[in-house]
Amino acid sequence: MAFVKGSHHVTLSVGHAQEDVDFHVKTLGMRFIKRTVLFDGSTPIYHLYYGNANGDPSSVVTTFPWAQAGLVGESGTNQAREVLLSVPEGSLDFWHQRLTEHKVVVENVEVLDRRRLAFRHPSGIEYVFVSNDNDPREGHPGYGVPAEYAIHGIHGVGIHVTTPERMVDFAQNTFYSQGKIREDGDRAVFQVGDESFGNHIELIGNRKDDQGTWRYGAGTYHHFAWNLDNLRNQDEIKFEIEGAGYTDISELKDRKYFKSVYVRTPGGALFELAVTHADGGWDCDESPQELGTKFQLPPQFEHRRTELLGQLEEIDI
């Protein structure tokens, strides 16, 4: 029987590589786990990966820094927009102080009668800290972030939509939503998949903003990836989605660390159906202790390694 396990990673289009590293590693304390390049296209752009202590699939934030290519996106509706990250219960005061000290503007917000912290990436992407009790994923204590306050991983994704009911129908009838939908004003919240953490979808009704861009461009959320666990299950889910009439879906793509299929949802957000296969994983080209220390390249770019290192922005980690 086909299933969605939970989240796998999120991928964002950001501005400069160094400010992205500084934000995720030196401000948020995340672990830098991979430095490679975008697999698609002929012009290499960095692909940077950040995670928790163990690089759990449901903890990973990845980014494409587009400043060097001059590509800028537009935030809007019918687009994934909010990066929801899970932090330990009781840590929000620490994070409010730390973000403020790092010159990040942070706001207290309330959703479902619970406090959250809202702030932005240097490129403008919306981030939200959601406190969770009993999240078993191990945070990474980096750059002054103690283990007891460190980020567990992904909490979920906030998607702005003009017609939330179409996205709810997709989730309930095709994409394995679970439990009751909770509502808070213009926000509908539910979970997808078997996990008890990391898999929240929050739909925000938004008929005021213009359509957001879906192409690559700094300042926008590119896709949210789900963990399909194994390749057979991935195939079954793909066929189910196509059979339900959602045919804007890709063929299988080998991303070295995982294999993926992409589907454009009726709410506009791009979902990736990912599987960390037997020959993949973050440690397929680096040991677990060495993650992020070497510049990794897809095979089609390996012969240009020296050239690319001279073209890409130098990063201080």
Side-chain angles (χ1 to χ4, degrees):
M1 182 176 177
F3 63 95
V4 175
K5 186 173 182 180
S7 60
H8 193 277
H9 66 272
V10 304
T11 295
L12 315 170
S13 291
V14 301
H16 289 281
Q18 187 62 60
E19 70 178 9
D20 185 67
V21 170
D22 290 347
F23 176 74
H24 287 104
V25 176
K26 299 177 183 178
T27 298
L28 301 188
M30 299 182 76
R31 183 182 181 190
F32 189 77
I33 61 172
K34 194 66 63 180
R35 176 167 61 120
T36 182
V37 297
L38 174 65
F39 274 51
D40 298 323
S42 59
T43 303
I45 296 292
Y46 270 135
H47 196 178
L48 309 176
Y49 292 64
Y50 312 92
N52 64 7
N54 301 308
D56 297 323
S58 62
S59 78
V60 176
V61 176
T62 89
T63 63
F64 300 128
W66 286 101
Q68 75 174 60
L71 289 182
V72 178
E74 295 181 9
S75 180
T77 194
N78 296 329
Q79 179 190 63
R81 275 182 40 173
E82 298 179 8
V83 181
L84 309 178
L85 297 178
S86 174
V87 296
E89 189 72 40
S91 68
L92 293 184
D93 286 343
F94 164 83
W95 280 111
H96 194 288
Q97 180 178 342
R98 180 176 174 86
L99 290 168
T100 301
E101 289 174 349
H102 282 75
K103 306 297 190 274
V104 177
V105 177
V106 58
E107 179 184 2
N108 288 295
V109 297
E110 190 172 289
V111 174
L112 298 171
D113 298 320
R114 287 179 57 83
R115 177 191 176 199
R116 296 179 170 186
L117 298 182
F119 54 101
R120 290 180 182 265
H121 183 281
S123 66
I125 297 172
E126 299 157 76
Y127 276 60
V128 179
F129 276 163
V130 182
S131 60
N132 285 295
D133 197 12
N134 299 319
D135 187 330
R137 296 170 293 176
E138 182 182 352
H140 179 251
Y143 280 88
V145 177
E148 63 267 28
Y149 296 145
I151 297 168
H152 291 304
I154 297 164
H155 177 78
V157 55
I159 304 171
H160 286 234
V161 288
T162 55
T163 53
E165 59 275 7
R166 295 177 60 200
M167 192 66 180
V168 170
D169 179 71
F170 172 76
Q172 290 185 324
N173 297 317
T174 307
F175 203 64
Y176 297 85
S177 69
Q178 58 164 293
K180 181 181 179 181
I181 295 177
R182 296 174 293 163
E183 297 186 13
D184 186 349
D186 60 2
R187 188 178 297 252
V189 180
F190 55 92
Q191 289 177 265
V192 166
D194 297 336
E195 297 284 9
S196 58
F197 53 84
N199 54 351
H200 291 76
I201 291 180
E202 301 195 357
L203 302 178
I204 300 92
N206 181 347
R207 295 179 176 86
K208 299 180 295 183
D209 291 342
D210 291 336
Q211 166 76 47
T213 51
W214 290 351
R215 59 173 171 76
Y216 293 128
T220 55
Y221 200 128
H222 191 259
H223 64 260
F224 188 91
W226 298 92
N227 186 356
L228 276 293
D229 190 57
N230 63 75
L231 294 172
R232 179 176 178 179
N233 182 57
Q234 183 188 58
D235 276 344
E236 291 179 3
I237 295 289
K238 180 178 186 290
F239 292 145
E240 286 184 7
I241 291 172
E242 289 176 318
Y246 299 101
T247 55
D248 189 0
I249 189 166
S250 77
E251 296 304 313
L252 184 68
K253 296 180 182 292
D254 189 344
R255 302 309 195 190
K256 183 177 180 180
Y257 308 110
F258 43 85
K259 294 184 178 181
S260 298
V261 170
Y262 299 83
V263 58
R264 182 69 65 181
T265 70
L270 183 64
F271 281 177
E272 178 179 354
L273 315 179
V275 171
T276 302
H277 53 95
D279 297 324
W282 318 131
D283 58 356
C284 72
D285 51 17
E286 296 177 286
S287 73
Q289 295 75 29
E290 293 177 314
L291 292 181
T293 62
K294 300 176 182 177
F295 181 37
Q296 305 294 340
L297 282 172
Q300 68 268 29
F301 292 133
E302 187 59 53
H303 68 288
R304 298 173 57 193
R305 174 177 287 270
T306 301
E307 171 197 349
L308 298 183
L309 282 173
Q311 292 179 358
L312 293 166
E313 178 184 344
E314 188 174 346
I315 302 175
D316 175 33
I317 300 171

